[in-house]
Amino acid sequence: MRYCLIPFVFGMSILSVFAQPPNDDYASAVDVSGLLGGCSSDALYTTVSATGDLNVGACWSTGSPLRNVWFKFTATTTEVNITVDVGGVKGTQRRTQVALWQSDGTTPVSCNTYVSDTDDVVVGATTLSPGDVYYFSVDVQNTAFQGTFSLCLSEAVDYDYYEGAEDITGLINSCSADAAYTTLGATGDQNAGSCGNPTVQYNRWFNFTAP
């Protein structure tokens, strides 16, 4: 028995190393509706050994999917914010790319991609129909950057969108903390100002109540 068990265990180990993730394609997307308003366990998901399926996001820098994995959720509001969290205990993946899709998995809703290798990438939307199912895919820019990641889902967008504008009324006659805000990882929303670029690129939103 001893001589048979060793190659069997070794064989099982090889299979587990190269096994594709269970949500490797659109048809087997993991339902993460239960994560709305919360986060997954650390490094719960992976793109390791995944294969390409369907389309790339419009903002991705790859011509075809490389290691994309799939998720779905049922919208409870018109908004969603999806964060792919990496780094430290959150996951080993780098150069993350994320796309949000209609229920067919091919009609785009929104997308976002990394700026720096280890960025947490956030994709949001403000035009969902409550009760409808939406899909999102997570990929990497190069197969060398495949790895593990965590997910957080919110039912409200952040200040990347007009609807999630940050209230800074409390800063009137004062200043924020140093480097409190960033345009890194932002996407374009609404209109450009008349004195700047003709199109919005990486704008953030704020509001205040005049004294």
Side-chain angles (χ1 to χ4, degrees):
M1 292 296 294
R2 189 184 315 172
Y3 296 105
C4 293
L5 180 60
I6 292 173
F8 175 76
V9 172
F10 178 78
M12 289 295 289
S13 299
I14 293 296
L15 287 173
S16 65
V17 167
F18 293 100
Q20 294 169 349
N23 56 336
D24 186 44
D25 54 33
Y26 162 82
S28 56
V30 170
D31 192 333
V32 291
S33 300
L35 293 183
L36 286 165
C39 298
S40 71
S41 302
D42 292 340
L44 180 61
Y45 305 109
T46 185
T47 50
V48 174
S49 297
T51 58
D53 185 51
L54 295 183
N55 301 330
V56 297
C59 65
W60 294 6
S61 59
T62 47
S64 59
L66 299 176
R67 293 282 190 264
N68 63 337
V69 290
W70 288 84
F71 303 88
K72 64 182 179 180
F73 65 93
T74 301
T76 56
T77 71
T78 58
E79 300 179 9
V80 72
N81 236 38
I82 301 163
T83 302
V84 178
D85 204 350
V86 298
V89 298
K90 298 300 182 180
T92 59
Q93 179 169 288
R94 293 175 292 160
R95 298 195 182 183
T96 298
Q97 305 189 117
V98 191
L100 179 63
W101 310 91
Q102 296 279 1
S103 59
D104 59 6
T106 57
T107 304
V109 177
S110 60
C111 77
N112 205 0
T113 187
Y114 71 97
V115 177
S116 299
D117 285 4
T118 56
D119 281 347
D120 298 334
V121 176
V122 181
V123 64
T126 60
T127 57
L128 306 186
S129 296
D132 284 359
V133 175
Y134 293 85
Y135 285 71
F136 63 97
S137 53
V138 178
D139 205 348
V140 289
Q141 181 267 341
N142 186 290
T143 57
F145 302 113
Q146 63 187 336
T148 56
F149 60 92
S150 310
L151 285 177
C152 293
L153 275 70
S154 172
E155 295 164 299
V157 292
D158 62 15
Y159 74 137
D160 191 36
Y161 289 85
Y162 164 84
E163 291 84 351
E166 184 92 7
D167 188 338
I168 53 172
T169 304
L171 293 182
I172 292 176
N173 296 320
S174 63
C175 299
S176 72
D178 293 343
Y181 307 105
T182 183
T183 52
L184 290 174
T187 59
D189 183 53
Q190 304 285 352
N191 300 325
S194 60
C195 61
N197 293 324
T199 57
V200 289
Q201 295 179 330
Y202 309 107
N203 61 339
R204 297 294 199 184
W205 287 88
F206 303 87
N207 63 40
F208 64 92
T209 302

